[in-house]
Amino acid sequence: AQSVTQPDIHITVSEGASLELRCNYSYGATPYLFWYVQSPGQGLQLLLKYFSGDTLVQGIKGFEAEFKRSQSSFNLRKPSVHWSDAAEYFCAVGARGATNKLIFGTGTLLAVQP
Amino acid sequence: DAGVIQSPRHEVTEMGQEVTLRCKPISGHDYLFWYRQTMMRGLELLIYFNNNVPIDDSGMPEDRFSAKMPNASFSTLKIQPSEPRDSAVYFCASSLEGLAVSYEQYFGPGTRLTVT
């Protein structure tokens, strides 16, 4: 079965600084990978996804993520963080095959300092 | 489209009472998912439907939980009887296609359930 780990529970960055949120997965083959963002009191919104092809994926709001098979990672990056990026970020993994289930990580809460 | 609609947004009930959460997926979406989010366990998939048929309910915690989808535009998640440990935020999500195709899940705003 697949699993996903987000090692950082809470991260604080200064506005304008770069950001990298870590995500590691466990799966026997190449999985489907996703990053979602949850603003306070809201549902989750998809930022980006990786299915195949180019390992560097561009998403909404200036985010990108890179799939690294050798490291079983799918880290989320943004070159310059805005105060509005403060939210909780979830990495998720889906197994190829008949199932349509996503397994979510425990989330990383991002705080942005002015 | 108005997105995924959930009601109520907040529910406070006493232990032992029946609770019904409601969801209207995005029109045309074939998949509907129910999730539960808690601090301790994170975001867990409870059950999902495809074309109104329950496909995988392995995440439903126990027999007190049941879910139905009588038509393509409506689903319910029922807890009977409710217990304090059921307190959580319950999300409904829908998607147009399955995981093997494109698969973006659209989440509703959630129902915050408090059982006292």
Side-chain angles (χ1 to χ4, degrees), chain A residues 32 34 36 38 41-46 49 51 88 90 94-106, chain B residues 9 31 33 35 37 42-43 45 48 56 58-59 91 97-110:
Chain A
Y32 300 115
F34 304 79
Y36 280 82
Q38 184 180 26
Q42 303 295 317
L44 280 69
Q45 180 186 19
L46 180 67
K49 61 186 177 185
F51 272 36
E88 190 155 22
F90 293 90
R96 296 176 184 263
T99 180
N100 286 290
K101 296 171 66 171
L102 285 184
I103 305 299
F104 284 84
T106 51
Chain B
R9 293 294 309 275
Y31 293 83
F33 305 81
Y35 290 90
Q37 186 179 41
L43 195 64
L45 177 66
Y48 83 89
D56 188 334
S58 59
F91 288 103
E97 295 162 318
L99 186 58
V101 183
S102 66
Y103 202 72
E104 175 172 353
Q105 288 190 30
Y106 293 80
F107 281 75

Side-chain angles (χ1 to χ4, degrees), chain B residues 67-85:
Chain B
K68 294 182 179 179
M69 192 165 186
N71 57 62
S73 60
F74 183 65
S75 177
T76 59
L77 178 68
K78 186 176 293 186
I79 308 172
Q80 166 64 19
S82 58
E83 296 182 3
R85 59 193 168 119

Side-chain angles (χ1 to χ4, degrees), chain B residues 22-40:
Chain B
R22 297 173 175 79
C23 175
K24 176 178 169 54
I26 293 173
S27 177
H29 281 195
D30 291 334
Y31 293 83
L32 183 138
F33 305 81
W34 281 102
Y35 290 90
R36 178 173 67 177
Q37 186 179 41
T38 62
M39 290 292 292
M40 292 298 296

Side-chain angles (χ1 to χ4, degrees), chain B residues 82-99:
Chain B
S82 58
E83 296 182 3
R85 59 193 168 119
D86 301 330
S87 297
V89 180
Y90 291 82
F91 288 103
C92 177
S94 69
S95 71
L96 179 61
E97 295 162 318
L99 186 58

